[in-house]
Structure formats: C-alpha cells, structure tokens
Amino acid sequence: MASHIVGYPRMGPKRELKFALESFWDGKSSADDLKTVAADLRSSIWKQMAAAGIKYIPSNTFSYYDQVLDTTAMLGAVPPRYGWHGGEIGFDTYFSMARGNASVPAMEMTKWFDTNYHFIVPELGPEVNFSYASHKAVDEYKEAKALGVDTVPVLIGPVSYLLLSKPAKGVEKSFSLLSLLGKILPIYKEVISELKAAGASWIQFDEPTLVLDLESHELQAFSGAYAELESTLFGLNVLIETYFADIPTEAYKILTALKGVTAFGFDLVRGTKTIDMIKSDFPKGKYLFAGVVDGRNIWANDLTASLCVLTDLEAVVGKYKLVVSTSCSLLHTAVDLVNETKLDREIKSWLAFAAQKVVEVNALAKALAGQKDEVFFSANAAALASRKCSPRVTNEAVQKAAAALKGSDHRRATNVSARLDAQQRKLNLPILPTTTIGSFPQTLELRRVRREYKANKISEDDYVKAIKEEIGKVVELQEELDIDVLVHGEPERNDMVEYFGEQLSGFAFTVNGWVQSYGSRCVKPPIIYGDVSRPKPMTVFWSSMAQSMTARPMKGMLTGPVTILNWSFVRNDQPRHETCYQIALAIKDEVEDLEKAGINVIQIDEAALREGLPLRKSEQAFYLDWAVHSFRITNCGVQDTTQIHTHMCYSNFNDIIHSIIDMDADVITIENSRSDEKLLSVFREGVKYGAGIGPGVYDIHSPRIPSTEEIADRINKMLAVLETNILWVNPDCGLKTRKYAEVKPALKNMVAAAKLLRTQLASAK
C-alpha cells in the first residue's frame, strides 16, 4: 500500500533557511551560500521521506519565499515596476517582488486560504507577456533524482493560480483573470514536457480553490484547462490535490471527470463530507490519495480510527488504488518533535510534528497492506488514552464560567458615538490623532536580555531594569516624534500570542516548533491542550510603568481571544468556539485590571479574526457570530471613558465589514497600504462606519521609507470616504521586525503628514 506527502516545511528543523535568507538580505553572505543551505535542506527532506518508506515524495514544495511567487516567476509574470527584461529570474527580481526594494514597493501579500501562511498575490492583466522564466520545478526534480530519489514534482495548478491573482494596478477590476488561461497553459506545457524528458512519472497539481464556493464558469475553467493539457500530460500519472475543506458536490463532479487525470487528493480531516461523496461515487480505476493525517495540527493521529476510514475507502476504490496521505502540506505544522527536549513528557506523547506525521502516514499504509506495526499502534492508543483522561486537561471552574456566558450578547451599554464623546473629553486628542500598532524594533541586545533572563543568567531585578530602560527610550522617542497615543513598545514580549499563552493555564510551549508565516518570518504557535484561565495579571505591571513615564495616553496592549485561538495549535477534543470563550474570559479579567490601574486606552488585537473564517459560505455566519461575541466579552465591563482599540492584519475585510462593525470597538486600526487601499472601497460603496478607524498609511513589511507627501496623499484618499473626526493615522502593523534606522524617519514623516493635513483642514474651515 502506497504513501504520499502533499508538501513539507522548508525552513528547516532549526530555521536554517530563515537565517540564511536574512544573512543574504543583509549582505553578510553570498547567493551561493544561500543556495548551499537550501540544497542541504532539500536533500535531507527527500532522504528522510525515502528512509521512512514514503513512495510518493514531493519536489518543488521548497521555496525561498513563497510557492505562489515561484509560480509567478515560472510564468514570467513580473510586474513592470521591477525592471525585469526577460531571461531566467534571479534573486534580485524575485526578492524585489517579495519584499520591495529602495525604489519600488513589494507585491501584495495575503493569507493562504484560512491558514496563517501568507502568499504573494500575482498582479495580472491583458498586457502581461508570459514566458517560461524559472526552471525551478525541473531543476529540483533533477536534483532529487541525482540523489537517488524519484519525486513527484508539485505545481500550483493553472486555474487556482489565476483565481488567487488580482488585476494589476490600472487594469479594470472587472477584468476576467481566467481569460488568461490560454496564455499560461503553453508555459505549463513546456514545464510538463521538460519534467517528462527528465524522467518524471507522476506530477501533482495543487488546485485548492476547488474547495471554495466557485461559480459555474470558474468550475468549467478546470475542465477546459486539463482538456487542453491532456495531450502534453499523456504518459504521466497526474494527481490533482485539494485541501483545507470539503469539496462542494459540483466541484467534486467536475474534478473526478477531468480528462487525463489519474488520481485525486482530498483533505479527509477537514473534509469529512467528502468521504460520503467518495463512497457513493468514485471513478473506476482512478487513484484516491486519502488525506487522513492532519497537516495543520500537532496532535498524534488516531491511527485506529484512520485505519477504519481507510479500510472503508479501500472497499470502494480497490486495494491498489488507495494511497495514504496528509490532509494538506505539512508546511502548516512544526518540523520535528525530536528537537523538543524541554517539553513535558506526557504532553509530548500526545503530539506529532511533520517528521512524525511522515512516519504515521507510512505506518497506516503498511497496516493497510497487512504489515501492521502492533507496537507502534499500541503506543499510539496508550498516548490517546492518557490525553483523554489526564486531569491537566479539565478545569471545572473554567467550564462553569464559560457555560454561564450563554444568554447574553455582552455589548457595552452605551452606543459608540456617545462613548467616543466621553473618551474625547477625557483624552483631548487632536483631529487625525497619530499612534502606532504596538511593537517597536526588537534589537539584538533586547533579545539577548530576554534570552538570558529565561536561562536564569541574569536576575529578575536586572531584567526589569533593562526592560524599563527600553520602555523609557521608546516613550521618549514617541514624545520626541510628537505621537499622540503612545505604546510601550512591547520589549518584554517574544511573540504576541506566545507571551500571553505563557501566562495562561492550559498552554504548552515548544523550543523549536516554528512554522513559516511569510518569507523568513516564522511563528512558534503555543499548544492549547486544556481548559484556559488566567492565574494572575499579565501586562498590568509593564503598562502602568510605561504610563507613569508620560502624561500622554499609553495604550495597554493585549492579544484578543480569536487571534490567540487562530495562532495556536488548538485542542481537537472540544469545539473551537468553546476554547475561544474560555480565552475571552481570561482576557476580560486582564482588561478590567488594566482599567483599574489607570490605563484609559486598551488595544485588543484581533489580527487573525478574518483568517479563521471558514472557506465555505454556509459555515461563515456561525464562526463570525462566536468570534465577534468572544471579542465583545473581553471589554463589555469597562467604563464609557475607556477607549477600546482593536487591530487587524493582512486580510480581505470587505466581505466581513458588518461583523467588524458588530465588534463594537471604539477604534479599529487595519492593514491597508499594501493592498492598494482595497479596504477603502467598502466605504466608497456606502458602508457607514461610526467608530474611530485607522487604515494603515504605510507598509511596515518593507524596509522602504515613505515620504511625507506619499503618506499625506494616502490620508487624503481616506478623507475622501471617511469623516475627519473618526480617522486615525498609523502604520499598517507593529514595528517589531524593522530597524530603528527605518522606523524613525517613517514615523517622523507620518506625524508630519498628519500635521500638514490638520493645518490644511483648519485653513479650509
């Protein structure tokens, strides 16, 4: 019985690729140095899968930045601003598209479906001259072959590529991206022909958009595209892989009828209804790649339950046509549990990271073939049983408090405009008030202090002194820049979720459980294994200290319950919303303690609210209802004069704007600059928003420093659709990953732009 892995993490078990990329970007190492690290990582991944017994090993799932950007490079779809004039795309052009450069901004970045991974959005239009400009897929197939590993090259399918793209600047928004299918398929044919010539016998097309609610003309594009590719694909086994959700009935029919396709891959962890469709109608003689091992979480698979599912499917598709697989790429999980030497032994026994999931896939395949490893299966059963009855998982007081939430919608008693009036009387802010999102640059020195404190190398007094000094510098800098509402800069925080998780019960932490978020940026999601509560205040000490250093308002900075949930590995033994309500109650305690300590502005970040939105429209209302309710629970008990802010990151908010309004925050700051002010179109279309709002005026994910004029121009665009008295001026996101050399001039220009417009507005009156 065969086994398959959809894709594998590319950063390396100890983030080797991250450090190699950042060293290269900083000019400390050469392109060859970077290529050597990358080749070593690819080689070790292929050999590891081969040694584990995996039959269908993927290649071309490695990337220096992002797999969609790799496809853009393969198709030569480089926006003209990057000055590329043909030939094989090199690092200069590639990283300029990803990160921007001194003269031009980066391409837009947005969430990959409902994950915390971000992809670079292709910018397309009728004028794009596509050409075969990156031979990466073929090169990596040959590289694996030279190492003695025959792989399945993976390409993002042509239809999903176009559906994930956007019309370039200056192209009509109504432009049909699918009309470009005829222009990109010839390049796909070239790639396929080269892979065939290199000896490939299988090819995998990832077409994840098939799980979305597509219109019939979009579904027909799949039929047309694969019919067009059929003759080129002749002689190859073709796998079409879908993931992240159930595939809708109509899409399933279209997919399983595609010409020239040998195999179909489905996510059977999040797509449990798909199993019923397979059982009632699966095409004869085709392969089923059954994604039964969860690629998006870190819990050990229930091998016995999976084996039951597989046995049922085997009866439908036939013994030699069933392949055991992961539900999606393992990119979305941590790399290897072996590197977790400090994790509690009991909790560790409940987990499986990417390397362990590879072993699980193979164990299931062998069991199906009649070679069940009884020792492995019984160890798995014992671990699952220990998790089920462990006293660390359940806290009755928390369960009771969460159950008592039913029956109230937890809204603040006064409406937002009356609250804003009360807050303005207290805070006395100018029009177009300036603020930042929370974090300030984290210097190497600061990271060293935190690391040494964690390792007990410096005393608590020395640690507090060092952090206090850093907060003092950040406060002084903001006063010098004349920012209106200050932040303390978060020098004590490693990560906006981990920091809180470390102080809440029911959370466990890894040392090397890193997951790629975008480019070289990795996050280390906490593991929520049990009921969540707050034993003691988490941020009050630092926020009070920062407020004592200034007469200006100092924001208390918290991460919201939905973001903590969506950016953690969440327990899978109770519904997600129940866990979210527990976190909301813990954050509510913190909000009320901050208010008692004299903090008048409290920001509760919900950066990841949009990200958790189910992919299928039929499931979205329920999610938005409990997610928005969770946010309101956190601040329903504060006084009218306490101003509640929230912040949201990279996302497409237009379709959930009414839920955002329903959160009932006093002020919302929101990513805007990198997506061509897409957000503003909501307000142009007449949505009325009465609370404070700060669409980001510059992109902090790029080292580029925007001019005062550029920022003023952005603010003017906002003033065209938003009332002067509700608009705030702020960057897109926190400044943690930037350097002070970039932050100071950018913020200086931001404040200057706000003042310039205040003057213009005053003289216009």
Side-chain angles (χ1 to χ4, degrees):
M1 193 55 64
S3 50
H4 166 253
I5 305 296
V6 177
Y8 200 81
R10 45 187 82 132
M11 277 294 134
K14 300 212 169 151
R15 294 183 292 162
E16 292 84 347
L17 183 61
K18 170 194 175 66
F19 299 121
L21 280 166
E22 290 172 1
S23 169
F24 172 69
W25 293 336
D26 288 345
K28 291 174 185 165
S29 57
S30 68
D32 284 343
D33 295 333
L34 175 56
K35 286 175 182 172
T36 302
V37 171
D40 289 348
L41 282 171
R42 289 192 295 268
S43 162
S44 71
I45 290 165
W46 291 325
K47 286 175 177 172
Q48 174 196 337
M49 287 197 218
I54 301 297
K55 181 173 179 183
Y56 300 112
I57 297 171
S59 61
N60 198 39
T61 58
F62 172 84
S63 178
Y64 285 105
Y65 206 94
D66 163 52
Q67 68 270 18
V68 182
L69 183 62
D70 293 348
T71 312
T72 295
M74 178 183 92
L75 298 169
V78 181
R81 66 179 177 276
Y82 299 108
W84 174 72
H85 301 297
E88 188 80 2
I89 288 173
F91 281 160
D92 274 3
T93 303
Y94 181 85
F95 288 130
S96 290
M97 290 193 285
R99 308 175 69 234
N101 59 38
S103 53
V104 287
M107 292 168 74
E108 184 189 348
M109 181 162 76
T110 197
K111 300 284 184 188
W112 177 244
F113 294 83
D114 57 349
T115 73
N116 183 32
Y117 177 76
H118 303 69
F119 74 97
I120 302 291
V121 183
E123 301 172 13
L124 305 177
E127 305 304 312
V128 179
N129 289 314
F130 296 98
S131 65
Y132 186 12
S134 166
H135 292 64
K136 177 180 175 292
V138 180
D139 292 344
E140 288 184 16
Y141 173 77
K142 288 177 177 173
E143 186 185 320
K145 201 169 184 189
L147 294 166
V149 184
D150 190 27
T151 59
V152 178
V154 179
L155 298 175
I156 291 202
V159 184
S160 288
Y161 176 77
L162 292 176
L163 290 175
L164 293 167
S165 303
K166 68 171 189 177
K169 219 174 186 153
V171 174
E172 286 295 321
K173 291 279 177 268
S174 59
F175 173 71
S176 164
L177 293 157
L178 287 174
S179 68
L180 298 172
L181 207 45
K183 291 186 178 180
I184 68 170
L185 289 177
I187 293 148
Y188 273 89
K189 287 178 182 177
E190 282 187 70
V191 182
I192 294 161
S193 300
E194 282 194 12
L195 286 167
K196 260 162 77 171
S201 57
W202 278 83
I203 186 167
Q204 174 179 322
F205 291 101
D206 281 10
E207 292 281 15
T209 55
L210 276 163
V211 305
L212 303 176
D213 296 305
L214 298 180
E215 293 175 25
S216 62
H217 75 277
E218 293 169 324
L219 286 172
Q220 289 309 318
F222 288 93
S223 306
Y226 287 93
E228 175 65 28
L229 292 174
E230 188 183 5
S231 58
T232 315
L233 289 167
F234 184 76
L236 273 175
N237 288 297
V238 179
L239 163 63
I240 305 239
E241 185 64 58
T242 68
Y243 36 77
F244 298 148
D246 268 308
I247 181 164
T249 316
E250 206 44 49
Y252 179 82
K253 285 180 192 160
I254 295 271
L255 171 63
T256 51
L258 288 181
K259 298 255 174 61
V261 176
T262 323
F264 309 100
F266 299 107
D267 179 338
L268 303 182
V269 175
R270 288 180 173 234
T272 45
K273 293 176 193 152
T274 304
I275 296 174
D276 297 330
M277 286 193 284
I278 293 166
K279 286 179 180 174
S280 65
D281 183 25
F282 190 77
K284 222 172 176 42
K286 302 286 186 185
Y287 286 85
L288 169 64
F289 280 59
V292 291
V293 172
D294 192 350
R296 289 183 60 171
N297 218 323
I298 40 64
W299 303 108
N301 188 274
D302 183 338
L303 295 177
T304 306
S306 293
L307 193 55
C308 284
V309 171
L310 291 164
T311 309
D312 286 353
L313 292 171
E314 188 182 54
V316 177
V317 304
K319 194 171 182 65
Y320 301 105
K321 296 291 181 185
L322 182 64
V323 178
V324 183
S325 185
T326 52
S327 65
C328 61
S329 172
L330 298 175
L331 175 70
H332 308 290
T333 191
V335 182
D336 196 342
L337 202 49
V338 167
N339 297 314
E340 298 307 326
T341 49
K342 295 181 180 170
L343 200 56
D344 175 278
R345 273 182 70 177
E346 185 187 23
I347 292 173
K348 193 173 175 177
S349 75
W350 304 341
L351 309 177
F353 291 0
Q356 288 68 45
K357 288 174 188 290
V358 168
V359 175
E360 288 180 338
V361 166
N362 204 55
L364 286 165
K366 284 174 78 173
L368 260 184
Q371 300 161 5
K372 187 176 178 187
D373 182 338
E374 295 293 353
V375 176
F376 189 70
F377 268 72
S378 55
N380 172 262
L384 293 175
S386 104
R387 183 179 164 208
K388 204 169 188 174
C389 56
S390 171
R392 322 161 67 150
V393 171
T394 317
N395 176 333
E396 242 160 76
V398 172
Q399 297 264 351
K400 227 179 216 169
L405 291 170
K406 291 184 176 77
S408 165
D409 62 4
H410 298 91
R411 287 180 191 278
R412 289 169 79 179
T414 317
N415 73 36
V416 71
S417 59
R419 297 197 309 260
L420 287 170
D421 288 345
Q423 291 154 15
Q424 180 55 16
R425 285 193 294 276
K426 188 166 193 172
L427 300 171
N428 194 25
L429 298 170
I431 58 161
L432 306 181
T434 53
T435 190
T436 64
I437 303 305
S439 60
F440 264 65
Q442 298 229 337
T443 59
L444 290 171
E445 173 61 16
L446 186 56
R447 290 172 197 268
R448 182 191 63 75
V449 166
R450 277 208 314 263
R451 203 166 46 242
E452 290 188 353
Y453 176 58
K454 209 166 187 176
N456 295 319
K457 287 182 183 170
I458 58 171
S459 69
E460 183 163 4
D461 285 352
D462 286 345
Y463 172 70
V464 169
K465 189 179 162 205
I467 297 294
K468 182 177 181 179
E469 205 172 294
E470 183 67 24
I471 292 172
K473 283 184 201 163
V474 168
V475 170
E476 195 181 324
L477 172 64
Q478 292 171 94
E479 289 194 320
E480 201 181 294
L481 290 166
D482 206 14
I483 290 171
D484 301 304
V485 175
L486 311 192
V487 296
H488 77 291
E490 305 175 17
E492 78 287 11
R493 303 186 190 183
N494 42 7
D495 171 87
M496 63 184 283
V497 173
E498 187 171 333
Y499 178 76
F500 290 95
E502 282 173 342
Q503 302 183 76
L504 294 167
S505 61
F507 281 76
F509 295 87
T510 63
V511 176
N512 287 297
W514 298 97
V515 180
Q516 186 182 12
S517 174
Y518 64 86
S520 68
R521 171 118 166 95
C522 299
V523 291
K524 192 152 57 73
I527 295 164
I528 305 177
Y529 66 84
D531 289 336
V532 177
S533 62
R534 184 198 74 146
K536 60 180 197 294
M538 303 180 282
T539 65
V540 176
F541 175 75
W542 299 115
S543 289
S544 306
M545 177 193 286
Q547 183 63 81
S548 72
M549 297 174 180
T550 180
R552 299 181 186 216
M554 173 63 64
K555 279 198 276 195
M557 300 298 308
L558 305 174
T559 302
V562 186
T563 297
I564 291 176
L565 184 89
N566 284 338
W567 283 356
S568 297
F569 288 124
V570 183
R571 58 191 289 193
N572 57 359
D573 59 346
Q574 71 176 14
R576 284 173 76 85
H577 67 269
E578 288 182 19
T579 305
C580 199
Y581 286 149
Q582 292 178 359
I583 304 168
L585 287 169
I587 300 297
K588 180 178 191 283
D589 291 346
E590 188 70 13
V591 167
E592 289 166 11
D593 281 348
L594 280 168
E595 186 182 56
K596 281 180 202 138
I599 303 297
N600 296 317
V601 182
I602 301 168
Q603 182 170 307
I604 307 162
D605 283 346
E606 282 297 13
L609 184 117
R610 175 69 173 71
E611 183 180 305
L613 192 68
L615 298 174
R616 304 291 295 286
K617 290 190 176 79
S618 58
E619 296 160 24
Q620 291 176 357
F622 177 65
Y623 166 78
L624 288 167
D625 185 55
W626 63 254
V628 168
H629 188 188
S630 297
F631 177 82
R632 287 201 306 260
I633 288 167
T634 64
N635 60 86
C636 62
V638 300
Q639 296 169 29
D640 287 355
T641 48
T642 298
Q643 189 165 81
I644 299 293
H645 287 225
T646 189
H647 171 68
M648 293 186 170
C649 286
Y650 283 131
S651 279
N652 183 2
F653 298 106
N654 301 26
D655 52 349
I656 63 158
I657 191 70
H658 294 290
S659 295
I660 291 173
I661 293 168
D662 203 35
M663 288 168 77
D664 199 28
D666 297 310
V667 178
I668 178 169
T669 52
I670 207 158
E671 183 279 329
N672 166 68
S673 70
R674 198 164 170 175
S675 55
D676 293 334
E677 284 98 14
K678 211 183 325 186
L679 169 75
L680 299 184
S681 65
V682 179
F683 305 110
R684 282 189 203 104
E685 285 153 21
V687 170
K688 289 280 171 265
Y689 192 76
I693 184 164
V697 296
Y698 81 91
D699 175 19
I700 66 88
H701 294 87
S702 168
R704 199 175 150 269
I705 296 157
S707 66
T708 301
E709 295 68 33
E710 186 183 324
I711 296 175
D713 181 50
R714 280 232 159 91
I715 299 170
N716 267 321
K717 282 184 183 168
M718 295 168 191
L719 287 169
V721 290
L722 293 164
E723 297 294 328
T724 315
N725 63 340
I726 64 167
L727 189 63
W728 284 65
V729 176
N730 46 264
D732 263 342
C733 222
L735 306 169
K736 174 179 166 180
T737 59
R738 297 267 58 91
K739 297 179 171 68
Y740 273 106
E742 300 152 358
V743 165
K744 285 180 187 174
L747 290 179
K748 187 179 174 201
N749 293 349
M750 181 187 88
V751 173
K755 288 181 173 176
L756 176 72
L757 282 158
R758 283 174 201 156
T759 310
Q760 288 175 1
L761 288 164
S763 59
K765 273 185 180 174

